[in-house]
Amino acid sequence: MTVHVIYGSDSGRTKAIAGKIAAKLDAKVINVADATADDFEGCDLLVLGSPTYGEGDLQADWESGIDVLKDADLSGKKVALFGLGDQTTYPDSFVDAIGVLYDAVVEKGAEVVGFTDTKGYEFEISAGVRDGQFVGLVLDQDNQSGKSEKRIAAWTSQIL
Ligand SMILES: Cc1cc2nc3c(=O)[nH]c(=O)nc-3n(C[C@H](O)[C@H](O)[C@H](O)COP(=O)(O)O)c2cc1C
């Protein structure tokens, strides 16, 4: 099974997590700033990651990366999402970016796998929640970095 992990990162946390996830999935890691339509299409499982910035926005490189994604053929493709955020400082837009990625890939006909429980997080509002669950893996390296290894291990087993 070919797995591509495509991530965007400003201060390096999402990049580091992308590497950890890729190691568990035996995946190729691609910075979204360099990603082509082939990178989105040419795999059996596509894993996409972004931190949230501004007030609920994608990481900056994803702003153009999302256009590449929208040009790619993702119909029927399995996609898993992960997002980094800070629930303490941004409780009203916590990991909103995974909600943006979710809407974009669903629009393209992809099947999103790897929803997770919101238990264990403290926030008010998140666009990353649908039907009471996060649409992917959620990590808070600002406040809960000690929980991340376990969360990554559980989630990668879940999606495999
Ligand atoms: C200016 C600024 C705005 C942010 N806005 C949000 C936000 O709206 N929601 C959220 O969950 N996290 C927000 N964060 C937290 C980052 O998403 C978090 O620190 C993340 O781990 C950074 O990932 P990176 O190192 O890959 O860039 C913000 C951080 C900064 C510095």
Side-chain angles (χ1 to χ4, degrees):
M1 184 171 79
T2 319
V3 185
H4 287 177
V5 176
I6 303 181
Y7 74 91
S9 183
D10 270 15
S11 56
R13 293 192 183 108
T14 309
K15 181 181 183 181
I17 296 295
K20 286 178 188 284
I21 291 171
K24 301 247 187 228
L25 299 175
D26 195 17
K28 180 177 174 190
V29 190
I30 301 151
N31 186 330
V32 69
D34 308 320
T36 64
D38 278 352
D39 292 324
F40 287 95
E41 291 172 2
C43 53
D44 304 305
L45 172 67
L46 180 61
V47 181
L48 306 178
S50 178
T52 299
Y53 277 100
E55 288 175 15
D57 300 325
L58 287 167
Q59 185 270 342
D61 296 318
W62 266 113
E63 297 294 347
S64 47
I66 200 96
D67 291 333
V68 181
L69 181 155
K70 284 178 179 168
D71 280 342
D73 178 6
L74 300 182
S75 56
K77 183 171 291 297
K78 284 200 175 13
V79 176
L81 306 170
F82 70 98
L84 273 71
D86 175 345
Q87 63 202 295
T88 306
T89 314
Y90 305 96
D92 295 328
S93 59
F94 182 48
V95 294
D96 275 7
I98 53 166
V100 178
L101 291 176
Y102 176 82
D103 289 336
V105 298
V106 167
E107 173 85 28
K108 294 296 295 178
E111 179 196 345
V112 178
V113 297
F115 280 50
T116 62
D117 209 324
T118 59
K119 220 175 113 214
Y121 302 83
E122 277 186 42
F123 62 96
E124 297 297 328
I125 304 167
S126 173
V129 175
R130 304 293 158 93
D131 295 329
Q133 284 195 300
F134 287 125
V135 296
L137 171 67
V138 167
L139 301 173
D140 183 340
Q141 295 301 91
D142 295 86
N143 307 290
Q144 297 183 330
S145 60
K147 296 190 174 182
S148 295
E149 291 289 347
K150 258 192 166 168
R151 285 171 170 165
I152 291 167
W155 183 73
T156 49
S157 311
Q158 180 187 337
I159 60 175
L160 283 177

